[in-house]
């Protein structure tokens, strides 16, 4: 029964390669303000902000970094204080001991091997302690041309609901999306899904009736007749 429903839903919305263009266009029109919510002034602040954002909200990170970035301006500043002091300064972001250890390890490597600068290449960013692929992708994308596609909880959930991937592992989801999303859209595509996930395609109660993608989404709860009325040219 479930398989039959899923098959029928996918047949109704059409192949994903035909849908990806309209999906991006509609989301871009619906969320023209879809950009990173973290506040930063340069590459080092961007890197630290993204590292702190794990398991907490961007609003919370911005609240913490407003003071943090006045105190810590260079990699050396993070290494000049005792670990406990840095832990206290980032305590409100949660998991502060692990984050402080990762930040200090990253700053040490930046000083020793990168002249105190945040490296450009994804491969180099992944060498930094506490910097996983998602963090590295965010940093690279915000600095210019994306080398991958950021996959967070919103991107994973919406990609699955839209039938763009059947995978659950973020790395495998990213590979599926890279094959599907045109490279010029790699920067903005995650932001579009993230903001749509926050505003419309909410985890527990998606607002399918007001979603601009309801006729392109196999998981839509809107009936066929209603979908027709929402379809855009």
């Amino acid at each position: 029964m479930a398989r039959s429903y899923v098959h029928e839903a996918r047949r109704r919305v059409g192949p994903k390669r035909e849908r990806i263009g309209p999906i991006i266009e509609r989301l871009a029109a619906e969320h023209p303000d879809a950009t990173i919510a973290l506040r930063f002034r340069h590459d080092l602040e961007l890197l630290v902000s993204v590292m702190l954002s794990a398991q907490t909200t961007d609003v919370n990170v911005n609240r913490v970094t407003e003071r943090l970035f006045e105190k810590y301006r260079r990699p050396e500043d993070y290494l000049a204080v005792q670990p406990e002091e840095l832990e206290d300064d980032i305590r409100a972001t949660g998991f502060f001991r692990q984050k402080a250890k990762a930040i200090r390890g990253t700053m040490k490597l930046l000083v020793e091997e990168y002249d105190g600068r945040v490296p450009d290449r994804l491969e180099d960013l992944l060498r930094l302690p506490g910097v996983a692929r998602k963090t590295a992708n965010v940093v690279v994308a915000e600095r210019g041309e994306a080398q991958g596609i950021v996959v967070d909880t919103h991107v994973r959930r919406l990609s699955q609901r839209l039938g763009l991937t059947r995978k659950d592992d973020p790395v495998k989801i990213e590979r599926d999306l890279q094959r599907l999303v045109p490279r010029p859209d790699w920067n903005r595509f995650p932001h579009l899904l993230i903001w749509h996930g926050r505003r419309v395609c909410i985890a527990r109660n998606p607002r399918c009736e007001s979603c601009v993608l309801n006729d392109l989404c196999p998981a839509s709860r809107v009936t066929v007749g209603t979908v027709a009325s929402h379809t855009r040219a």
Side-chain angles (χ1 to χ4, degrees):
M1 186 74 145
R3 286 187 179 181
S4 175
Y5 172 78
V6 171
H7 177 74
E8 177 61 30
R10 285 180 178 147
R11 188 175 68 174
R12 170 175 60 81
V13 299
K16 56 188 175 184
R17 290 195 179 277
E18 293 180 7
R19 291 185 287 122
I20 191 63
I23 286 172
I24 294 172
E25 290 173 6
R26 293 187 193 182
L27 289 180
E30 188 75 3
H31 308 288
D33 57 340
T35 57
I36 191 169
L38 295 171
R39 292 199 292 266
F40 55 91
R41 294 169 295 191
H42 49 71
D43 294 345
L44 186 64
E45 291 185 356
L46 167 62
L47 176 59
V48 173
S49 293
V50 181
M51 293 177 73
L52 291 176
S53 68
Q55 304 299 314
T56 190
T57 65
D58 292 343
V59 172
N60 193 32
V61 171
N62 289 336
R63 189 180 299 118
V64 169
T65 57
E66 185 175 1
R67 292 186 177 182
L68 189 75
F69 292 155
E70 293 304 315
K71 180 176 180 179
Y72 303 91
R73 296 174 179 268
R74 305 174 304 145
E76 292 84 354
D77 296 336
Y78 291 90
L79 300 172
V81 301
Q82 291 298 313
E84 294 77 13
E85 184 173 347
L86 179 57
E87 289 173 4
D88 285 339
D89 289 335
I90 65 172
R91 183 180 297 269
T93 66
F95 301 95
F96 56 91
R97 290 191 180 88
Q98 298 96 311
K99 291 179 180 180
K101 181 178 179 181
I103 289 173
R104 284 173 58 84
T106 284
M107 298 306 161
K108 185 173 184 294
L109 196 60
L110 290 182
V111 170
E112 292 177 349
E113 298 192 23
Y114 296 101
D115 196 28
R117 299 179 180 179
V118 179
D120 296 322
R121 298 193 315 155
L122 191 70
E123 294 80 2
D124 291 324
L125 285 166
L126 290 172
R127 293 186 59 221
L128 303 175
V131 176
R133 188 168 182 86
K134 173 193 165 186
T135 298
N137 270 331
V138 172
V139 172
V140 171
E142 292 305 315
R143 298 171 71 186
E145 185 176 350
Q147 297 174 27
I149 296 178
V150 176
V151 177
D152 75 343
T153 55
H154 293 292
V155 175
R156 179 175 62 179
R157 185 178 76 253
L158 270 67
S159 295
Q160 292 169 340
R161 284 182 175 176
L162 286 166
L164 305 180
T165 183
R166 298 183 186 182
K167 307 295 194 311
D168 195 57
D169 177 76
V171 175
K172 294 179 180 178
I173 292 173
E174 182 183 359
R175 288 175 187 157
D176 284 348
L177 294 177
Q178 284 178 316
R179 297 188 192 103
L180 193 61
V181 177
R183 183 147 193 156
D185 292 311
W186 283 11
N187 283 55
R188 66 171 178 168
F189 184 72
H191 291 308
L192 295 174
L193 291 191
I194 289 169
W195 284 96
H196 196 64
R198 289 172 176 169
R199 293 168 169 169
V200 181
C201 195
I202 301 162
R204 293 187 179 182
N205 188 28
R207 297 166 50 207
C208 297
E209 70 285 349
S210 59
C211 178
V212 295
L213 303 179
N214 54 27
D215 61 308
L216 299 174
C217 178
S220 176
R221 300 176 183 179
V222 179
T223 63
V224 175
T226 307
V227 166
S229 67
H230 283 276
T231 303
R232 293 190 176 186

